[in-house]
Amino acid sequence: MLPGLKAGFTLDARLEADSEQLMWLGLCELRVMNDRRWPWLILVPQRPGVEEIHDMTPLDQAMLTFETNMVAQALKRTTGCTKINTGALGNIVRQLHVHVIARSEGDSGWPGPVWGHGMREPYQKSDMRRFAQTIKAAL
């Protein structure tokens, strides 16, 4: 079994298709959304069958909050963004996952939400690698 992988846990196919694995945190797998329009990270708690934050144990809830804050601070520090958007919607992908997105005045779609805005613009491999290394160094 891979480090950090929890027995019975399977990543939703849409999350896997739309993002790249960055690293394992304590509870979550940290992923990069493959859309270069915004610096966008996704935390996926490694718990099978969990759809809502309130479905998790209090300890897992606390750990998710800690990891989300840690990722948000690193993203803000590395991007110098105006605002961090954090959300766990789950209307399309039911598996619990938390989006942490760096937003800045003047970015594509500001100040509206990123969802449903235009077409995704995938990263070039070298740009994705550079962004991933920057985030890893900040964590």
Side-chain angles (χ1 to χ4, degrees), residues 123-134:
Y123 280 97
Q124 295 291 324
K125 291 273 186 213
S126 60
D127 293 336
M128 170 75 81
R129 196 168 31 258
R130 194 169 18 263
F131 176 57
Q133 289 170 344
T134 301

Side-chain angles (χ1 to χ4, degrees), residues 20-92:
E20 298 288 329
Q21 183 184 31
L22 178 60
M23 63 188 298
W24 295 95
L25 303 172
L27 171 69
C28 297
E29 177 183 358
L30 182 60
R31 301 183 66 84
V32 177
M33 181 64 128
N34 192 7
D35 189 340
R36 66 181 180 85
R37 295 175 297 168
W38 304 283
W40 185 341
L41 302 170
I42 302 171
L43 293 99
V44 185
Q46 303 294 287
R47 296 294 186 257
V50 173
E51 294 184 358
E52 309 287 353
I53 294 172
H54 63 260
D55 291 338
M56 298 190 327
T57 66
L59 181 58
D60 281 352
Q61 291 174 25
M63 193 64 171
L64 177 61
T65 299
F66 174 78
E67 291 178 5
T68 301
N69 290 340
M70 181 176 66
V71 166
Q73 289 170 349
L75 189 58
K76 183 138 188 166
R77 237 183 358 263
T78 60
T79 64
C81 66
T82 305
K83 183 77 175 86
I84 292 289
N85 291 176
T86 306
L89 302 163
N91 294 342
I92 296 173

